[in-house]
Amino acid sequence: MQRRATHVPGITTLQHAIWSVPVSPDAAGDLVHTLERGGVLFFPGLPFAIEPGESALFSPDILSSAKNASFDPSTGRIGGTTLLRGKGAPGSKNAEDLARLTGLMRRFSDCARSLVHGLFPAYAGAIQRARASFRPAEIAGRASSWRKDDTRLHVDSFPATPVQGRRILRLFTNVNPAGKPRLWRVGADFEAVAGRFAEALSMPWPGSALLLRALHVTKSLRSPYDALMLQLHDRMKADADFQETSPQTRVDFPAGSTWLTFTDEVPHAAMAGQYQLEQTFLLPLSAMIDESRSPLRILERLKGRRLA
Ligand code: SIN
Ligand code: FE
């Protein structure tokens, strides 16, 4: 695999054209180091192949929720799509399209796993594949509350599914059939961002984690780390000065390209684009080469206490 630096700070471009090639131990060591330092690994020539019958799925009309359809690779279950309506009628258009969407998502999820295992052998025994998503809605001009507005720089944090300190690694592929790029802004160093907001982040009150789980707001206990990361996500999005003046770079990810990064650490905003596939992975902290660089350990240093 060839590797070359790009002119965009924080973005490492890799000329890697297939999903299943293991990298040499030396290159793998470099890559994991780059990733753990908040880099974005960018594969401009790594498209995901859409099969002929699947083009019918390329419409925002298949969405029943605002943002995306989801796929759980552990159960094969799809969510967030109108295609689930009438799926009980075998041979119906919806049933056929649902089977197509399931097939597409499973193929993509398997490709993503194969790439991540090949690139990061150090994580292989520990990394967990979570949900994948298909994002057929145009981002630019989409109405949403400020908290859900992903055109604002933020780090990822999940309100309903706490990670308890695990890392969120996400892989994205732009599958826009008309060749439109996905436009992102990528922000700077997590430590600086967390330092800017640290004082304003407050510890959750005792008992709140149990209550949130009992009320089914969360699926498992929301650790103090998860509570602080949700606040950080919100503080970043709500701060107009931070949005405009913090160090950031605009990146256009072309159709047919793939990229991956720790989205719990790297501030990002998606400004425009339509049709994207995404796979989420969760990584236990103990699998990192240097866990002192994780958001959990950085926030613990800033707050002077254990958070998970
Ligand atoms: C996000 O994770 O904030 C959105 C990324 C995207 O859909 O491009
Ligand atoms: Fe995000």
Side-chain angles (χ1 to χ4, degrees):
M1 181 179 51
Q2 277 176 30
R3 175 195 174 95
R4 70 180 166 81
T6 61
H7 298 298
V8 183
I11 312 286
T12 298
T13 302
L14 297 157
Q15 306 301 331
H16 202 75
I18 46 176
W19 293 92
S20 59
V21 180
V23 299
S24 71
D26 274 2
D30 275 7
L31 289 181
V32 90
H33 191 76
T34 303
L35 189 72
E36 290 194 6
R37 287 177 175 270
V40 177
L41 303 186
F42 171 43
F43 303 87
L46 184 56
F48 175 72
I50 302 300
E51 292 182 353
E54 292 169 346
S55 46
L57 304 169
F58 281 64
S59 161
D61 294 345
I62 70 155
L63 288 179
S64 62
S65 69
K67 284 187 182 173
N68 55 55
S70 66
F71 172 71
D72 180 347
S74 66
T75 60
R77 213 170 284 153
I78 293 273
T81 172
T82 54
L83 301 175
L84 289 164
R85 296 176 193 152
K87 70 174 169 146
S92 74
K93 174 92 173 71
N94 274 6
E96 278 175 15
D97 283 348
L98 186 64
R100 283 197 184 98
L101 182 61
T102 308
L104 181 156
M105 303 278 295
R106 181 173 288 124
R107 251 177 24 251
F108 173 71
S109 182
D110 289 348
C111 282
R113 181 183 57 181
S114 166
L115 185 73
V116 161
H117 281 236
L119 293 175
F120 312 116
Y123 295 165
I127 199 161
Q128 301 148 5
R129 184 164 51 149
R131 290 210 176 162
S133 63
F134 176 48
R135 306 175 176 200
E138 170 59 54
I139 292 171
R142 182 171 61 181
S144 78
S145 67
W146 64 268
R147 190 175 271 126
K148 290 192 172 157
D149 179 2
D150 288 339
T151 69
R152 300 175 191 224
L153 281 170
H154 64 281
V155 288
D156 286 347
S157 177
F158 303 143
T161 51
V163 295
Q164 281 122 2
R166 286 173 297 171
R167 305 301 313 276
I168 302 171
L169 175 65
R170 284 186 146 166
L171 179 148
F172 303 90
T173 299
N174 181 350
V175 286
N176 188 284
K180 270 177 36 179
R182 199 152 187 104
L183 312 188
W184 270 33
R185 291 185 288 148
V186 176
D189 188 45
F190 181 87
E191 192 142 15
V193 175
R196 173 173 176 145
F197 294 105
E199 230 171 274
L201 307 180
S202 56
M203 291 298 286
W205 49 271
S208 60
L210 284 168
L211 184 63
L212 289 170
R213 191 179 58 178
L215 296 173
H216 304 289
V217 174
T218 59
K219 298 202 175 99
S220 59
L221 286 180
R222 183 182 284 174
S223 66
Y225 169 71
D226 288 287
L228 265 55
M229 286 295 282
L230 282 170
Q231 292 174 49
L232 179 60
H233 167 277
D234 289 358
R235 293 265 169 189
M236 290 168 78
K237 281 189 173 174
D239 186 328
D241 179 62
F242 172 76
Q243 291 295 323
E244 275 168 39
T245 64
S246 67
Q248 55 192 273
T249 312
R250 183 191 140 133
V251 192
D252 294 5
F253 295 107
S257 72
T258 293
W259 61 104
L260 58 89
T261 194
F262 279 123
T263 55
D264 54 358
E265 167 182 9
V266 176
H268 59 283
M271 309 308 291
Q274 188 177 10
Y275 301 116
Q276 163 155 276
L277 287 160
E278 172 271 333
Q279 173 67 55
T280 300
F281 297 87
L282 296 174
L283 182 75
L285 230 55
S286 57
M288 289 183 70
I289 307 298
D290 180 5
E291 68 175 69
S292 74
R293 301 193 63 90
S294 64
L296 173 62
R297 298 292 178 238
I298 290 170
L299 283 177
E300 285 183 337
R301 286 199 293 278
L302 287 166
K303 298 303 273 185
R305 59 201 300 170
R306 282 192 78 81
L307 298 172

